[in-house]
Amino acid sequence: MAEVTVKEVLSEAEERMKKSIEATRRELATIRTGRASPDLLAGVRVDYYGTPTPLNQLALISAPEPRMLVLQPYDPNVKREIARAIEKADLGVTVKEEERVIRVFFPELSEETRQQLTKVAAKKAEEGKVAIRNIRRDAREKLKEMEDEGSISEDEFYRAQKQLDELTERYIEQIEELRKAKEEEIMTL
């Protein structure tokens, strides 16, 4: 019975760590690189008849060229609101409305801007690592409670703690790999 409980604690911790990895991946995707990506518009919300709506629900977004996105609104009446929302998001892009589409142009990144963006990526990765360490701390506290209650032995507690540390290390390494890949993407001309 006690082994299942320890497994449950470790399993819950791992599920939460997986969610932290996904959240970090999404955060890193919003950082601009030298290439235009629909992910860069992920945080843009458009006032659609009084309701803040995610941009990707209102338009088809494609990247026909490395430094340009083309948006085709599903409802042509909302084209102006989409363009305004992108301009208001302050992404450092140029927005051009055309008859049926909106073109979003991304300027070339300077070396200084690239350096700043790598710092932003490192900060977001560190936030992900902190989240994983907090999950480890929560799981460790649950295991300690179980040991104090006598539902697991001291040996089981230390074995579980070792497994938890290995789990934590594995997920922190994944975040580090995500950070390195994003920095490489940012610095690639």
Side-chain angles (χ1 to χ4, degrees):
M1 172 100 182
E3 184 66 357
V4 172
T5 313
V6 168
K7 263 188 187 167
E8 287 172 358
V9 170
L10 293 174
S11 178
E12 180 193 343
E14 184 168 18
E15 279 307 307
R16 289 178 60 201
M17 287 179 186
K18 285 178 184 175
K19 288 178 183 171
S20 288
I21 293 284
E22 282 312 305
T24 302
R25 184 176 279 124
R26 281 192 306 274
E27 284 291 314
L28 289 173
T30 64
I31 299 173
R32 206 173 137 212
T33 62
R35 302 185 65 78
S37 164
D39 291 335
L40 297 170
L41 301 177
V44 177
R45 298 267 186 267
V46 180
D47 184 23
Y48 185 61
Y49 298 108
T51 306
T53 308
L55 178 57
N56 62 2
Q57 292 179 12
L58 299 174
L60 177 66
I61 306 170
S62 60
E65 295 177 22
R67 292 194 359 237
M68 178 177 66
L69 293 177
V70 175
L71 291 80
Q72 293 177 298
Y74 300 127
D75 176 358
N77 299 325
V78 78
K79 187 170 66 169
R80 182 70 208 127
E81 283 77 18
I82 290 174
R84 266 195 221 115
I86 295 169
E87 289 167 350
K88 205 168 117 184
D90 196 26
L91 301 170
V93 298
T94 304
V95 181
K96 184 178 178 203
E97 284 184 68
E98 294 180 0
E99 192 174 321
R100 289 193 172 92
V101 297
I102 300 167
R103 294 186 191 278
V104 181
F105 298 94
F106 291 79
E108 190 72 43
L109 294 176
S110 69
E111 186 64 29
E112 185 180 326
T113 304
R114 289 176 192 276
Q115 293 294 333
Q116 289 292 59
L117 291 172
T118 59
K119 289 177 185 173
V120 171
K123 182 176 182 280
K124 290 193 184 295
E126 188 55 38
E127 289 168 2
K129 290 177 187 178
V130 167
I132 286 175
R133 289 185 195 113
N134 287 339
I135 293 165
R136 174 182 58 187
R137 185 197 62 225
D138 294 346
R140 190 173 274 158
E141 287 171 2
K142 286 179 189 173
L143 292 168
K144 186 65 179 153
E145 282 175 28
M146 291 165 62
E147 183 199 15
D148 291 345
E149 292 168 356
S151 59
I152 62 171
S153 69
E154 189 177 346
D155 286 349
E156 287 174 309
F157 170 73
Y158 286 113
R159 263 196 306 275
Q161 195 170 317
K162 185 174 187 267
Q163 287 176 297
L164 185 62
D165 288 344
E166 289 168 358
L167 204 59
T168 303
E169 199 54 44
R170 191 168 73 221
Y171 284 98
I172 284 180
E173 283 174 21
Q174 285 182 27
I175 286 182
E176 192 56 25
E177 288 168 16
L178 289 173
R179 181 195 61 79
K180 285 178 184 171
K182 187 63 177 188
E183 285 185 6
E184 189 176 312
E185 192 180 339
I186 289 168
M187 296 309 287
T188 301
L189 297 172

